[in-house]
């Protein structure tokens, strides 16, 4: 397997080049800038809850709670919602006046219901015209979940295990929640995917550079197949990206960010670099010079970023399963600690594998074509014609 | 024709778009031979070499290298050849030693042999003292030397040089030529050049290529003898009163004429030169012979 030799040397070359060190520093500064923008670093330093990716939202949305048991009211995160005790009538009035976003009614006999294993019905009233409602919905939802865990835990601990029915919490309002934190997860996901697009020029340099500096002829004269050359060069970039993403995650962890499902997230990001690297190889194999490759790749990268981000955002909005085509959606879901079923990985992985293999195949074929390497270079139409007539 | 051909090119044709670079070119290169390919720019020398190296595919025809066909055993052929391209650009950021190691690894030189091999080659091209300097600090001549070392890294039985001295100053060029001369022996070498003297000096045989075809091929002396078939003897004399008929009577003499104090004698062979000079005994100022050069051959063939 000679491609590993190429990978090794290309990688060494990267480490010793001033340009890649510059890119690396640039990335670090972008990352630091993002951390500052998130503002969570300083804001959370003071809170004893430790650091979290969620910025403090106090003063943003408010909810009135009628909870004589105090079970819920105590547990709502006051960093996310402003909580005020109130009754039904005044709460609805406040909502109508736009002074609060929602009203949560906890039944008076909740404690009793829990003891007797009856389902507890929470009623949440929200103002549907208020965009902040999703925040309220999400927060109440997650508080209910915490409560469920806490109650069943104490129940298992105190009662006879012969009772196997669980307390059930239901919520009146339904529909898509758009948790505020999710926006941060999107940002964090974008951040983690960023290195994928910052090393394209390294690959362009290593492929187009061979043409521009006229070093490619020696490479073609080597007793090594073009497939191995392309693979070797591509893998050097994948390796660089993998290390970069790892460093990136490390820095985020040191800065106090909580990254859930760390290894899965890491694996998905690195896996996504494969088709990006494949496409970059294919474009570089065809391009005459840096400029040409640069312009084309800029457009293609915008497309890829769109392909990753749009489904992720769409998922946030409507939880559509089609959004799983983008690995960024999955990363975002994993970051939020949302359970991800194995089948949910399928669309993204399939997409990665198909685009990856296809672009790699095209890159190798282009590399093997002497008219592409030595000219006169065929036009795209001619290539397509050859492809269709199986002469590619 | 060479009986023991290491490389045998069998009527290859190659076009680039509308340009016909090679037109039914055939040529055999013997084992251990140093063959020169000379021809004007655009003659098809580089294209021929690239086809031998499996870098380009011919439109038609075949080439066998060490018995392997370029259409089938490309990887085998490639590993048998050390190739110094016309534009032997090297990875600028690499140190000389690292560059050689990179290619040694790619050619699959066994690990323990790599370091001794590199040292040996650096010694051969007189670069041992610059081994740990980066390529981008080297002059063109030094780069060419590293390029030659690189081409030899896997100790290939066949070495191909494409215009190895182009653009070098005369001293450096002669240096490079001496490296090539030192390689002569069991290696099969192809030297492409448009410097006739270089080919004359180094090559066992020379092929003259023009417009994608071999115009003539043979030993330099044979090719030269075909052009004039003669050597010109130039004799300068003190006393202008000489009897040219005496010279004309020699069998080997074709023509005699005199311009000023210089007698020019065209000879069919060199055997009688001492006797001819004797005719002028006591009257001599200087004696010179002028040989036809490959340049004359070339102009004659291509012209
Ligand atoms: N990649 C190419 N594209 C178009 N024309 C080419 C290409 N390579 C060579 N040629 C043409 O083929 C002819 C032979 O070129 P070449 O083999 O490089 O000649 P030489 O090495 O003898 O100078 C020239 O006319 C040259 O312009
Ligand atoms: Mg040439």
């Amino acid at each position: 397997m000679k491609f590993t030799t190429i990978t090794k040397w290309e990688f060494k070359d990267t480490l010793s080049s001033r340009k890649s060190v510059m890119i690396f520093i640039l990335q670090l500064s972008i990352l630091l800038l993002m951390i500052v923008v998130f503002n969570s670093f300083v804001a959370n330093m003071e809170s004893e809850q430790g650091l979290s990716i969620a910025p403090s939202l106090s003063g943003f949305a408010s909810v009135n709670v009628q909870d004589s048991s105090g079970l819920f009211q105590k547990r709502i995160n006051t960093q996310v919602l402003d909580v005020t005790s109130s009754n039904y009538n005044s709460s609805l009035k406040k909502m109508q006046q736009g002074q609060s976003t929602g009203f949560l009614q906890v039944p008076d006999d909740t404690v009793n219901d829990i003891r007797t294993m009856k389902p507890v019905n929470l009623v949440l009233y929200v103002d549907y015209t208020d965009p902040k409602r999703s925040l309220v919905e999400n927060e109440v939802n997650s508080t209910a979940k915490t409560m469920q865990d806490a109650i069943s835990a104490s129940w298992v601990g105190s009662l006879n295990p012969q009772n196997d029915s669980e307390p059930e919490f239901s919520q009146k309002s339904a529909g898509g929640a758009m948790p505020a934190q999710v926006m941060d997860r999107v940002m964090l996901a974008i951040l983690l995917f960023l290195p994928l697009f910052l090393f394209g020029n390294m690959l362009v340099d290593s492929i187009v550079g061979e043409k521009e500096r006229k070093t490619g002829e020696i490479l073609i004269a080597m007793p090594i197949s073009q497939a191995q050359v392309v693979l070797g060069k591509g893998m050097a970039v994948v390796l660089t990206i993998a290390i970069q993403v790892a460093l990136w995650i490390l820095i985020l962890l040191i800065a106090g960010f909580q990254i859930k499902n760390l290894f899965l997230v890491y694996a998905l990001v690195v896996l996504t670099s494969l088709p990006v690297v494949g496409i970059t190889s294919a474009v570089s194999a065809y391009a005459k010079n840096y400029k040409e490759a640069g312009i084309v790749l800029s457009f293609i990268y915008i497309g890829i970023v769109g392909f990753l981000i749009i489904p992720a955002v769409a998922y946030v909005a409507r939880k559509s399963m089609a959004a799983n085509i983008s690995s960024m959606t999955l990363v975002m879901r994993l970051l939020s600690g949302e359970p991800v079923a194995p089948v949910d990985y399928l669309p993204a992985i399939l997409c990665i594998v198909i685009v990856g293999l296809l672009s790699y195949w095209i890159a190798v074929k282009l590399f093997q074509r002497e008219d592409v390497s030595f000219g006169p270079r065929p036009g795209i139409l001619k290539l397509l014609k050859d492809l269709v007539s199986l002469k590619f | 024709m060479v009986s023991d051909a290491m490389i045998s090119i069998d009527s290859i044709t190659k076009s680039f778009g509308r340009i016909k670079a090679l037109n039914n070119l055939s040529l055999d290169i013997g084992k251990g031979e140093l063959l020169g390919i000379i021809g004007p720019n655009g003659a098809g020398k580089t294209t021929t070499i690239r086809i031998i190296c499996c870098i380009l595919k011919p439109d038609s025809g075949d080439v066998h290298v060490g018995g392997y066909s370029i259409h089938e055993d490309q990887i085998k052929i490639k590993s048998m050849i050390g190739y110094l391209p016309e534009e032997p650009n090297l990875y600028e950021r690499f140190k000389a030693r690292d560059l050689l190691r990179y290619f040694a690894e790619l050619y699959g030189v066994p690990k323990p042999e790599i370091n001794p091999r590199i040292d040996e080659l650096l010694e051969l091209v007189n670069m041992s003292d610059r081994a740990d300097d980066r390529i981008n600090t080297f002059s063109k001549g030094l780069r060419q030397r590293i390029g030659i070392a690189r081409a030899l890294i896997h100790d290939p039985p066949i070495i191909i040089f494409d215009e190895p001295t182009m653009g070098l100053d005369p001293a450096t060029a002669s240096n490079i030529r001496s490296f090539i001369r030192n390689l002569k022996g069991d290696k099969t070498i192809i030297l492409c050049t448009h410097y006739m003297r270089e080919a004359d000096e180094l090559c066992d045989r020379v092929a003259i290529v023009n417009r994608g075809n071999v115009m003539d091929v043979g030993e330099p002396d044979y090719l030269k003898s075909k052009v004039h078939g003669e050597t010109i003897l130039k004799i300068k004399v003190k006393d202008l009163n000489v009897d040219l008929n005496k010279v004309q009577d020699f069998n080997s003499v074709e023509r005699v004429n005199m311009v000023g104090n210089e007698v020019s004698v065209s000879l069919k062979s060199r055997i009688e030169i001492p006797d001819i000079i004797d005719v002028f005994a006591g009257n001599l100022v200087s004696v010179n012979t002028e040989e036809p050069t490959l340049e004359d051959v070339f102009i004659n063939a291509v012209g």
Side-chain angles (χ1 to χ4, degrees):
Chain A
M1 276 296 155
K2 284 187 174 162
F3 78 86
T4 52
T5 308
I6 293 187
T7 301
K8 185 179 97 188
W9 284 87
E10 289 282 349
F11 186 64
K12 258 195 202 171
D13 190 40
T14 305
L15 291 187
S16 66
S17 106
R18 211 168 295 150
K19 206 153 127 202
S20 21
V21 174
M22 287 300 292
I23 296 172
F24 182 72
I25 293 173
L26 182 83
Q27 292 196 38
L28 281 189
S29 26
I30 293 174
L31 181 58
L32 291 175
L33 196 76
M34 296 288 245
I35 294 177
V36 171
V37 168
F38 272 171
N39 197 18
S40 59
F41 192 58
V42 180
N44 288 302
M45 277 292 249
E46 293 132 349
S47 85
E48 61 270 67
Q49 288 178 318
L51 299 167
S52 112
I53 188 77
S56 169
L57 287 169
S58 46
F60 178 66
S62 62
V63 66
N64 294 308
V65 180
Q66 185 184 30
D67 180 10
S68 57
S69 69
L71 271 176
F72 280 83
Q73 195 161 354
K74 267 193 291 187
R75 283 176 173 81
I76 289 179
N77 187 352
T78 51
Q79 281 216 316
V80 180
L81 291 178
D82 290 345
V83 182
T84 326
S85 298
S86 186
N87 61 20
Y88 180 84
N89 285 333
S90 69
S91 292
L92 287 197
K93 200 188 267 167
K94 272 193 195 154
M95 271 171 70
Q96 267 155 13
Q97 289 165 357
Q99 284 167 356
S100 86
T101 309
F103 170 55
L104 173 68
Q105 203 174 26
V106 182
D108 286 341
D109 45 357
T110 300
V111 178
N112 217 23
D113 284 351
I114 288 173
R115 257 189 221 123
T116 57
M117 303 290 140
K118 277 198 205 139
V120 176
N121 282 306
L122 300 180
V123 184
L124 177 68
Y125 299 88
V126 285
D127 176 1
Y128 265 81
T129 61
D130 188 342
K132 286 179 286 192
R133 74 178 156 82
S134 56
L135 182 68
V136 175
E137 283 169 0
N138 184 62
E139 190 50 35
V140 168
N141 215 351
S142 65
T143 309
K145 267 201 195 110
T146 338
M147 277 300 302
Q148 182 173 352
D149 292 346
I151 291 163
S152 50
S154 71
W155 164 74
V156 167
S158 65
L159 288 175
N160 229 321
Q162 65 200 5
N163 292 309
D164 52 4
S165 64
E166 284 185 30
E168 189 187 311
F169 291 82
S170 62
Q171 203 190 345
K172 185 145 194 183
S173 65
M178 169 124 158
Q181 285 98 330
V182 163
M183 260 350 270
D184 298 336
R185 307 284 184 241
V186 175
M187 292 309 284
L188 187 58
I190 291 173
L191 215 59
L192 288 176
F193 276 92
L194 207 57
L196 263 55
F197 302 96
L198 294 176
F199 282 98
N201 70 334
M202 180 183 148
L203 189 56
V204 173
D205 195 59
S206 107
I207 295 178
V208 181
E210 301 262 9
K211 291 186 218 177
E212 290 228 318
R213 290 189 290 265
K214 306 236 164 77
T215 50
E217 191 173 352
I218 295 175
L219 209 60
I220 302 176
M222 302 283 301
I224 169 170
S225 72
Q226 270 89 336
Q228 301 235 4
V229 173
V230 176
L231 190 63
K233 283 173 179 290
M235 282 305 127
V237 180
V238 172
L239 184 65
T240 311
I241 291 174
I243 289 175
Q244 180 75 359
V245 175
L247 277 176
W248 202 268
I249 287 180
L250 201 69
I251 291 168
L252 286 170
L253 287 176
I254 291 170
F257 288 86
Q258 289 158 1
I259 300 178
K260 291 180 184 151
N261 299 307
L262 193 74
F263 291 103
L264 269 175
V265 165
Y266 179 68
L268 266 174
V269 173
V270 173
L271 211 59
T272 311
S273 74
L274 295 178
V276 177
V277 165
I279 291 171
T280 311
S281 307
V283 172
S284 304
Y286 182 71
K288 242 187 203 139
N289 49 43
Y290 293 113
K291 206 170 138 193
E292 198 179 272
I295 292 170
V296 174
L297 281 175
S298 302
F299 284 108
I300 290 183
Y301 278 10
I302 291 171
I304 300 176
V305 169
F307 182 82
L308 287 172
I309 291 185
I310 292 170
V313 173
Y315 180 80
V316 172
R318 40 176 48 212
K319 298 234 179 243
S320 146
M321 280 301 134
N324 287 327
I325 187 102
S326 153
S327 52
M328 195 184 273
T329 308
L330 293 171
V331 164
M332 199 189 63
R333 291 177 62 190
L334 288 168
L335 285 173
S336 343
E338 195 183 313
V340 180
V343 286
D344 289 0
Y345 289 102
L346 215 61
I349 303 272
L350 222 60
C351 193
I352 286 170
V353 170
I354 291 172
V355 175
L357 285 179
L358 197 70
S359 57
Y360 172 69
W361 179 77
I362 291 174
V364 171
K365 283 290 165 195
L366 285 172
F367 220 77
Q368 282 172 342
R369 284 183 72 117
E370 55 180 60
D371 50 357
V372 174
S373 300
F374 290 94
R377 188 174 67 158
I380 303 272
L381 282 178
K382 165 95 171 78
L383 288 177
L384 286 176
K385 219 174 89 192
D386 285 358
L387 188 65
V388 170
S389 57
L390 301 174
K391 277 189 299 189
F392 191 63
Chain B
M1 281 293 107
V2 187
S3 56
D4 189 12
M6 184 68 161
I7 301 171
S8 110
I9 304 171
D10 185 13
S11 54
I12 50 173
T13 301
K14 179 77 185 173
S15 298
F16 298 100
R18 252 170 294 157
I19 303 166
K20 195 150 201 173
L22 297 180
N23 188 6
N24 259 321
L25 184 141
S26 296
L27 186 63
D28 281 355
I29 299 136
K31 191 157 187 270
E33 181 180 35
L34 201 169
L35 178 103
I37 300 181
I38 62 178
N41 287 325
K45 306 183 292 292
T46 301
T47 306
T48 306
I49 281 180
R50 282 178 172 163
I51 289 174
I52 297 173
C53 294
C54 305
I55 293 170
L56 297 178
K57 277 202 173 71
D59 300 336
S60 66
D62 199 352
V63 178
H64 284 86
V65 179
Y68 298 112
S69 161
I70 55 163
H71 294 298
E72 280 145 32
D73 298 298
Q74 304 195 354
I75 300 282
K76 279 219 181 75
I77 291 175
K78 283 176 173 182
S79 60
M80 287 168 71
I81 298 177
Y83 173 43
L84 182 74
E86 198 166 2
E87 292 174 278
N89 295 294
L90 303 165
Y91 299 106
E92 294 282 314
R93 277 199 293 271
F94 278 48
K95 289 176 183 160
R97 185 183 292 280
D98 284 345
L99 184 99
L100 295 179
R101 192 187 311 271
Y102 176 45
F103 282 100
E105 286 180 17
L106 280 182
Y107 274 112
V109 177
K111 272 259 155 61
E113 286 171 30
I114 292 180
N115 276 330
R117 182 79 189 142
I118 290 174
D119 290 336
E120 182 191 329
L121 284 171
L122 286 169
E123 191 76 28
L124 177 83
V125 295
N126 269 326
M127 290 281 291
S128 301
D129 52 330
R130 301 296 301 270
D132 295 308
D133 292 346
R134 283 172 189 264
I135 307 283
N136 58 18
T137 64
F138 290 170
S139 66
K140 198 163 185 231
L142 295 185
R143 277 164 211 243
Q144 197 68 327
R145 291 199 221 172
I146 289 296
I148 290 176
R150 188 211 65 81
L152 299 177
I153 192 76
H154 53 304
D155 197 16
I158 299 166
I159 308 164
I160 300 179
F161 297 104
D162 196 354
E163 312 259 7
T165 58
M166 195 167 56
L168 299 178
D169 65 79
T172 313
S174 125
N175 211 318
I176 300 287
R177 269 179 224 130
S178 74
F179 295 142
I180 296 173
R181 195 175 297 117
N182 289 341
L183 291 170
K184 274 178 83 164
D186 45 326
K187 305 269 186 215
T188 304
I189 305 173
I190 298 178
L191 171 67
C192 261
T193 183
H194 60 250
Y195 297 121
M196 306 306 150
R197 271 195 47 209
E198 188 168 290
D200 197 359
E201 216 180 300
L202 295 171
C203 300
D204 300 324
R205 284 195 312 151
V206 172
I208 300 167
V209 173
N210 193 31
R211 295 184 201 182
N213 227 319
V214 176
M215 311 301 288
D216 213 339
V217 57
E219 289 171 18
D221 282 342
Y222 163 74
L223 289 178
K224 283 183 277 190
S225 71
K226 266 172 67 173
V227 183
H228 293 289
E230 59 186 39
T231 300
I232 297 164
L233 185 66
K234 300 218 165 192
I235 304 164
K236 283 193 179 154
V237 291
K238 270 185 286 191
D239 185 356
L240 300 184
N241 196 9
V242 289
D243 185 1
L244 296 180
N245 286 334
K246 268 194 197 164
V247 179
Q248 190 73 69
D249 288 344
F250 284 100
N251 277 337
S252 62
V253 172
E254 283 199 324
R255 265 171 290 120
V256 184
N257 57 38
M258 192 165 172
V259 181
N261 72 335
E262 189 181 71
V263 182
S264 291
V265 187
S266 297
L267 298 169
K268 273 184 283 198
S269 95
R270 304 170 63 112
I271 306 166
E272 289 173 314
I273 290 178
D275 304 324
I276 298 168
I277 292 170
D278 274 350
V279 174
F280 298 92
N283 196 15
L284 276 176
V285 176
S286 69
V287 180
N288 256 313
T289 53
E290 256 180 25
E291 313 267 344
T293 60
L294 266 187
E295 197 117 17
D296 301 320
V297 179
F298 180 69
I299 291 165
N300 190 51
V302 170

